[in-house]
Amino acid sequence: GESVGLHLPTLSVQEGDNSIINCAYSNSASDYFIWYKQESGKGPQFIIDIRSNMDKRQGQRVTVLLNKTVKHLSLQIAATQPGDSAVYFCAEKGGGGNKLVFGAGTILRVKS
Amino acid sequence: NAGVMQNPRHLVRRRGQEARLRCSPMKGHSHVYWYRQLPEEGLKFMVYLQKENIIDESGMPKERFSAEFPKEGPSILRIQQVVRGDSAAYFCASSPGRNLGNQPQHFGDGTRLSIL
């Protein structure tokens, strides 16, 4: 069955350092991937997305990398700030459907 | 510039009662999705609706749960005869209805349902 999982449940980084959050997916038919950030008591907030015909996409301070060969997705956050502390989810969509399949989440803690 | 609006933010019900959760999509969006989240877990898809149509309900429990998105008004997720296991955060998301290829779903801040 399809599934999306994360390697590291908790990541602690020093303020100013770069963060890398990883995600593995198993559905080779997935063609669209999204990273969301969720703060306590709030809904998931869109960060960045990538389509399967790309292997890299950059936003403001964030970069998403997609490796379809090993079915791996990563989110890189440059110069991590205390406001980046949250739970980060990867999600995939594919197989002709519209539903998103979410991973379990990675907690990012930024130390000042 | 309202995003996805959900209400109530918190809902407390006793076992056996009914719960109604409402979701108004972002302006211009005609696709609505409902997800459920248990503590320290990812979101699980429940149902996908367009105006007056259920497109995919593969994640909905077979009994007690129903969803609608009428021509006018918000989408409603209805849980009848609630049980303690229904306690969770329920999130609604929306996306544009036009055929623009893959578009991100934008989420509301959820309804936290507690069953006593």
Side-chain angles (χ1 to χ4, degrees):
Chain A
E2 58 186 30
S3 66
V4 179
L6 297 171
H7 296 303
L8 299 175
T10 304
L11 178 64
S12 293
V13 299
Q14 197 67 36
E15 180 179 0
D17 287 351
N18 297 334
S19 302
I20 300 177
I21 301 172
N22 296 301
C23 177
Y25 66 95
S26 60
N27 186 0
S28 56
S30 292
D31 59 3
Y32 181 57
F33 304 87
I34 309 175
W35 280 100
Y36 286 96
K37 171 188 180 183
Q38 187 177 27
E39 297 174 287
S40 181
K42 294 191 174 182
Q45 176 188 354
F46 170 81
I47 302 173
I48 192 168
D49 59 0
I50 189 167
R51 291 167 176 73
S52 59
N53 60 353
M54 303 171 69
D55 53 21
K56 180 179 180 179
R57 191 165 187 222
Q58 289 184 291
Q60 187 177 11
R61 281 203 306 122
V62 295
T63 300
V64 55
L65 299 177
L66 175 62
N67 186 331
K68 294 181 287 295
T69 302
V70 295
K71 296 180 201 168
H72 185 266
L73 192 69
S74 68
L75 176 69
Q76 300 177 1
I77 304 174
T80 313
Q81 303 168 359
D84 294 329
S85 294
V87 180
Y88 288 80
F89 294 96
C90 63
E92 63 171 328
K93 185 165 78 72
N98 274 47
K99 67 181 182 184
L100 292 176
V101 176
F102 281 79
T106 290
I107 300 171
L108 177 63
R109 291 200 177 103
V110 182
K111 298 175 286 187
S112 299
Chain B
N1 188 25
V4 177
M5 304 299 294
Q6 292 189 249
N7 68 84
R9 291 296 312 278
H10 301 274
L11 182 61
V12 179
R13 285 287 178 266
R14 297 188 180 279
R15 281 178 296 170
Q17 292 184 319
E18 178 180 288
R20 283 189 176 225
L21 289 60
R22 296 174 187 78
C23 169
S24 295
M26 285 181 69
K27 186 176 182 180
H29 287 190
S30 59
H31 292 198
V32 165
Y33 313 81
W34 286 93
Y35 293 81
R36 177 164 59 179
Q37 184 179 35
L38 296 173
E40 299 189 6
E41 291 190 9
L43 283 71
K44 305 292 186 193
F45 169 80
M46 299 181 73
V47 62
Y48 161 41
L49 309 102
Q50 296 176 19
K51 285 284 187 181
E52 300 185 280
N53 285 303
I54 296 175
I55 307 302
D56 180 355
E57 57 181 347
S58 59
M60 286 278 271
K62 299 298 180 191
E63 298 177 347
R64 302 188 299 107
F65 284 71
S66 62
E68 63 176 5
F69 189 17
K71 187 177 180 180
E72 301 291 338
S75 175
I76 305 288
L77 179 67
R78 181 183 178 201
I79 311 172
Q80 296 177 293
Q81 299 173 343
V82 296
V83 301
R84 288 227 171 101
D86 297 332
S87 294
Y90 292 83
F91 290 96
C92 172
S94 72
S95 67
R98 292 164 293 168
N99 185 20
L100 298 174
N102 285 312
Q103 292 290 321
Q105 296 175 18
H106 295 273
F107 285 81
D109 282 336
T111 293
R112 274 117 189 112
L113 176 64
S114 299
I115 309 302
L116 302 180

